[in-house]
Structure formats: C-alpha cells, structure tokens
Amino acid sequence: MNKIFCGIDWAEGHHDIALVDQDGTQVAKLRISDDSSGFHALMELLAQHRDSAAEPIPVAIETPRGLLVAALRATGRQIYAINPLAAARYRDRASVSRAKSDAADARVLANILRTDRHAHRPLPDDSEAGQSVAVLARAHQDAIWDRQQMINRLRSHLREYYPAALTAFHGAGKPGLDSPRARVILTAAPTPADAAKLTRSQLRALLKRGERPRCGIEAEVERLRANFRADSLRQLPQVEQALGQQAVALIRQVDAACVSVAQLAVATEEAFLAHPDAEIITSFPGLSVLSGARVLAEIGDDRERFADARAMKAYAGAAPVTRASGRSHVVVARTVKNQRLASTGHMWAFAALRTQAPRAHYDRRRAGGERHTAALRNLFNKLLGCLFHCLQHRTLFDPDRAFVPPTDLAA
C-alpha cells in the first residue's frame, strides 16, 4: 500500500497542508483556517487518502503546541515537531533558487517524514495529567523568573534616590525587596522624606501588617528607624516625589508577581501530588514537590519517550559529549539540551548533597580531580539513571542499590 505523509506549514491565521506519497509525489494540498471548520477540513482530506484509526497518517509541523497540535494529538496519530532551522536546511535540498512559499514549506515538511522519519522524534504520548503538570510547573518557573526581573527593576530604581531602602531590605541577612515587610513599608513610605517621618508606632503597625520579623518587632522598629533617619544623599524634593510615585507602581507589579508565584505554586503542587509518578519522584533525595513537578514536566509520563537511561541523560544535558577527529579527542559538557531540566537538575543535585550516599559520590568525584560543577553534573547524571529505572519498574528510590560503594563493586 502506498504510504501517505502530511506536512503542515503553521501560521497564525491559516495553515497550508501538503500530502505526499512514498515516491515524493504531492497527491493533495489545501489551505485551512485556524478554527474547528479548518480542522474538520483537514480530517476530511486525510480520510480521502486512506487515513484510519488503525493506520493514521503521520504529520510534520514546526511547532509542538497550539490548538491544532492538541486536536491532532487527540486523534492518536504521531506528530513530529520539526525544528524550523532543520526545515530550512531541507528546503535548500529541494530548491537552490531560495524561493519560498507556505505551500512549498508544507511539502518540504511532508518530505522530511518520507525520507528521514527515523531521524526525528514524535511528540511524546503524555497523559492528560502529565500535560497539566507540565503547563503549571513551567508557568510557575516563568513566574519566578518574572518576579526576579521585577525585583531587579525595583532595586535599580531605588538606587537612584533611596539607598536607605536597599540598606534596610536588600542584601545578605535581609528580608528581600519581595518580602511582605518590604512591600508594605515601601508603599507607605516610597521616598526618604516619608521614611524619615515614620514614628515607632507607625513602623510597628506596618510590620504587623506585613510579617513579624524573627528578631522581634521592637528590635526591627529600632533598626528601621535608625536606618531611615541616617544621613544620606538626596534628590531634589519634586524629583524625589516623582521617583517615589514610580516606585509605588513598581511595587504593585512586584505584588502581582508574588501573588502569581504563590497561586501557581499551590496549583502545581496539587496537580503533581495527584499524579501516579509523584510518590516515586519525591522519594529521591533533593527533590521537593515543586522541583519534582518540574522534573516530571520535562521528562513526561510516556515511558516509551526515551529508549533507555542514556537517552534521558542526553536530553537533560547530564551526559557529556565526545568530540573526536584525527588526533583530537575531547570530552565536553553538552550544550544542546532541555534547559529547564538541566537547571532543575543542578538544584536537585546540590540539594541531594545533604544526604549521605549522594554526598559520598560527589566527594569521590571531587577527590578524583573534578571541579564542583562537573561533579554536580555527574551526580545529576547518576540520579537520572536511577529515576529512569525506578519509573520503568515502579519502585521507590533505594540508596543502597543506587549508590553501591566501590569496595562492594570490587568484591
């Protein structure tokens, strides 16, 4: 039977469809709208070319997300998300004139499946629960990054006219500009002049509204009062007032960012703890509920996604890359990787050092001459291999089996 391959050139308002057979002949093309009627037209076109539930026609597209991709995944067919840079290289194989059109790009994508389907990875068949954890965990991580950007903007702004605020709240041992204490006080006193007028009773009331310091309210009142009344350089009064109004606007944005982080954290924890893999993932040292959710978000719950543990390690960037050519032979860290998973893995390995077996493994690598980052990456590599095994066999983490001492291996 003549096989059919589908390529979709995705756009915001419409999508171009191309179907080619196993000989590379284009058998159909169509432009559909980005709505339900367009999707039904695509399904009718595929059905006309022997598409069935038993043998669905595979689809190549340049994006892994969106409503069209979600609807296609619901049909049970394999979806191949082709990197746009890779598709551009394939385009040069078909034409040297550098001519380009949406219909031609759809045909190129279909031909990629026809010739090199084995070299590309289909989208994983993650469960609905796994996909929801991925959405929430990534949104929570993005919200944390956005909050940090807002804090950096506020810090830079306060440096221009209000150094006492930075002395009071920013730096080692300080609550931080994103703390409820700092936000409440800076909103009430957005300028050095306003801060210098705060009385002890006013500071005491503001601290009770924000958060109670560990050192005690009275000690914090005296510290802040002395800090705000210390001699410092000042802007002109009207300029200082204008900068204070800008600071209030920035603090409101920090408030919104902090609320978003807190709400997404709760939603992420609820979704992750309801997932069947949560118990296995959180049994590993160094993984909390939120960091475990980030790991699940990136590796998914499709057990067929990775052929073996080595594939998962390469995807996470934990496995090194060997570059050998002639007399040159170099082993370097992997740069092409899932950046979210690699970032989470660094924190995971660092947190795992508080337990005995991972710490002993890290110390052995350091004693062998590896630097801190390389030893952490190797520990992450080790933990990922254990995680792959535990997920495949539905078992909890066992440090005695995961980290066998070298003496036991020699015996």
Side-chain angles (χ1 to χ4, degrees):
M1 181 181 294
N2 197 10
K3 293 184 178 180
I4 300 297
F5 305 92
C6 176
I8 301 178
D9 183 70
W10 178 90
E12 185 174 343
H14 63 269
H15 315 298
D16 282 87
I17 315 298
L19 300 182
V20 301
D21 60 18
Q22 60 187 13
D23 297 325
T25 303
Q26 181 170 304
V27 298
K29 68 176 182 177
L30 179 68
R31 171 169 287 189
I32 62 173
S33 56
D34 185 32
D35 52 23
S36 60
S37 62
F39 176 74
H40 292 312
L42 171 59
M43 290 297 99
E44 292 177 3
L45 179 66
L46 295 178
Q48 294 171 8
H49 292 82
R50 299 184 298 277
D51 180 66
S52 64
E55 293 187 6
I57 295 176
V59 173
I61 190 170
E62 290 183 329
T63 179
R65 58 183 60 87
L67 288 173
L68 178 62
V69 174
L72 286 170
R73 294 181 71 174
T75 63
R77 70 187 70 249
Q78 287 189 320
I79 311 297
Y80 292 81
I82 308 298
N83 189 300
L85 293 177
R89 301 300 181 269
Y90 276 97
R91 189 188 305 124
D92 293 338
R93 294 170 57 180
S95 173
V96 296
S97 65
R98 297 194 178 275
K100 185 183 184 303
S101 68
D102 294 340
D105 287 347
R107 186 168 61 251
V108 167
L109 290 169
N111 277 307
I112 289 176
L113 288 189
R114 180 180 65 86
T115 59
D116 294 330
R117 181 179 179 181
H118 64 281
H120 296 275
R121 186 201 309 263
L123 292 179
D125 187 21
D126 292 329
S127 67
E128 183 177 354
Q131 293 182 52
S132 65
V133 171
V135 170
L136 291 170
R138 291 168 183 168
H140 178 249
Q141 192 173 30
D142 289 340
I144 291 176
W145 292 339
D146 292 341
R147 180 185 63 182
Q148 188 59 50
Q149 288 184 346
M150 291 307 309
I151 294 172
N152 292 341
R153 287 183 60 188
L154 177 60
R155 174 181 174 274
S156 177
H157 178 68
L158 292 175
R159 281 178 56 86
E160 295 184 17
Y161 80 107
Y162 200 171
L166 298 179
T167 305
F169 303 114
H170 182 74
K174 306 296 176 56
L177 293 174
D178 60 327
S179 65
R181 189 191 323 173
R183 286 181 278 146
V184 167
I185 293 177
L186 291 179
T187 301
T191 66
D194 295 330
K197 296 176 184 177
L198 290 175
T199 63
R200 289 184 175 88
S201 60
Q202 289 174 331
L203 282 171
R204 193 177 298 112
L206 291 173
L207 288 174
K208 290 179 180 179
R209 282 173 50 195
E211 61 180 353
R212 293 180 179 270
R214 294 182 179 180
C215 62
I217 290 181
E218 295 304 323
E220 184 68 2
V221 166
E222 295 302 325
R223 184 184 76 86
L224 292 177
R225 193 164 184 269
N227 180 78
F228 290 148
R229 297 195 174 195
D231 184 36
S232 63
L233 299 177
R234 300 276 292 272
Q235 292 274 6
L236 296 174
Q238 292 186 7
V239 175
E240 183 178 279
Q241 199 66 27
L243 290 169
Q245 293 177 355
Q246 184 181 356
V248 171
L250 290 173
I251 294 169
R252 291 197 187 106
Q253 296 180 49
V254 174
D255 284 335
C258 292
V259 171
S260 298
V261 169
Q263 292 177 344
L264 286 169
V266 172
T268 302
E269 289 180 353
E270 291 178 354
F272 175 67
L273 291 175
H275 195 279
D277 291 344
E279 183 180 5
I280 297 175
I281 294 176
T282 52
S283 70
F284 278 73
L287 280 181
S288 64
V289 175
L290 284 175
S291 59
R294 292 182 186 177
V295 171
L296 177 62
E298 302 311 321
I299 66 174
D301 56 7
D302 180 8
R303 298 284 82 89
E304 304 297 325
R305 179 175 187 175
F306 302 104
D308 51 27
R310 293 179 61 186
M312 180 186 286
K313 294 174 181 178
Y315 177 72
V321 175
T322 301
R323 296 176 181 171
S325 178
R327 297 182 179 180
S328 174
H329 188 279
V330 182
V331 179
V332 296
R334 190 179 296 265
T335 56
V336 179
K337 57 191 173 184
N338 184 312
Q339 297 292 346
R340 289 181 184 269
L341 184 54
S343 175
T344 302
H346 181 84
M347 295 186 295
W348 174 13
F350 189 79
L353 295 180
R354 292 176 293 182
T355 54
Q356 183 177 0
R359 181 73 198 200
H361 179 86
Y362 168 84
D363 290 340
R364 283 195 298 271
R365 305 296 299 193
R366 291 284 283 154
E370 288 189 358
R371 302 183 67 176
H372 169 73
T373 303
L376 275 186
R377 187 165 52 246
N378 185 272
L379 177 58
F380 175 40
N381 185 74
K382 178 77 172 179
L383 291 170
L384 266 184
C386 297
L387 178 61
F388 180 85
H389 173 84
C390 291
L391 290 175
Q392 291 290 337
H393 296 85
R394 309 302 303 171
T395 59
L396 299 180
F397 175 77
D398 183 359
D400 295 331
R401 297 183 61 186
F403 294 89
V404 181
T407 54
D408 293 347
L409 290 175

